Amino acid sequence: MINYDYTRFLCESNKYKRAFFHTLLLQLAPWSFNRDKEENARCFPSEEFTQIASQSLSSLNSDVSNLITLIELARTRNIHQLNIMLPYSLDEKEIAKITKHTLADIQQFSDDRESLQVSLL
């Protein structure tokens, strides 16, 4: 099980405006995982996932698009349970769209803070 704080990603992505070139490089980052493998081997799996996710997500994309990317990234990393902390709840249409694209079992919780529990089969 991996916990990912999407709220943190949103806060960090708003700290600065990205130039077009920098954004383009971030979109190409998923193909550069091999060079970071040795560096990431020294951290906890949740930290490694957070680092990789920060390279794969973009503040230019919608939340739904970013969450689909995040879930697909978890699937490629053989993560079967992903908990995503959110700053706000998603509506039923957004959850349905994410479920349709990822084929994941998604449950939304609104306890102390909003979160999604994603089960990947």
Side-chain angles (χ1 to χ4, degrees), residues 71 81-84 86 90 95 98-99 104-110 114-119:
I71 293 168
Q81 185 77 30
L82 179 63
N83 295 324
I84 306 169
L86 301 169
L90 301 176
I95 293 175
I98 296 167
T99 301
D105 179 35
I106 301 173
Q107 296 180 9
Q108 184 166 224
F109 295 97
S110 299
E114 302 295 326
S115 66
L116 294 180
Q117 184 178 27
V118 180
S119 298

Side-chain angles (χ1 to χ4, degrees), residues 4-11 14 63 67 84-90 108-110 112-116:
Y4 182 79
D5 191 348
Y6 187 69
T7 303
R8 182 177 173 193
F9 161 75
L10 291 175
C11 290
N14 287 328
D63 291 332
L67 292 171
I84 306 169
M85 280 66 74
L86 301 169
Y88 40 77
S89 63
L90 301 176
Q108 184 166 224
F109 295 97
S110 299
D112 294 337
R113 72 186 280 191
E114 302 295 326
S115 66
L116 294 180

Side-chain angles (χ1 to χ4, degrees), residues 1 3 5 8 10 15 18 21 24 26 38 42 45 54 56 77 93 95 101 110 118:
M1 175 175 59
N3 294 319
D5 191 348
R8 182 177 173 193
L10 291 175
K15 285 184 180 177
R18 295 184 179 143
F21 183 71
L24 181 63
L26 288 177
E38 189 175 305
R42 291 176 261 152
S54 70
S56 302
R77 310 284 300 169
K93 288 181 182 179
I95 293 175
H101 282 83
S110 299
V118 180

Side-chain angles (χ1 to χ4, degrees), residues 37-54:
K37 204 172 207 175
E38 189 175 305
E39 182 179 309
N40 289 336
R42 291 176 261 152
C43 62
F44 290 108
S46 59
E47 292 172 337
E48 176 186 4
F49 185 76
T50 297
Q51 290 172 1
I52 293 169
S54 70

Side-chain angles (χ1 to χ4, degrees), residues 48-86:
E48 176 186 4
F49 185 76
T50 297
Q51 290 172 1
I52 293 169
S54 70
Q55 296 171 352
S56 302
L57 303 179
S58 172
S59 62
L60 301 176
N61 294 338
S62 70
D63 291 332
V64 169
S65 178
N66 275 333
L67 292 171
I68 290 169
T69 299
L70 192 63
I71 293 168
E72 291 302 327
L73 180 62
R75 179 174 276 121
T76 63
R77 310 284 300 169
N78 293 317
I79 296 168
H80 301 288
Q81 185 77 30
L82 179 63
N83 295 324
I84 306 169
M85 280 66 74
L86 301 169

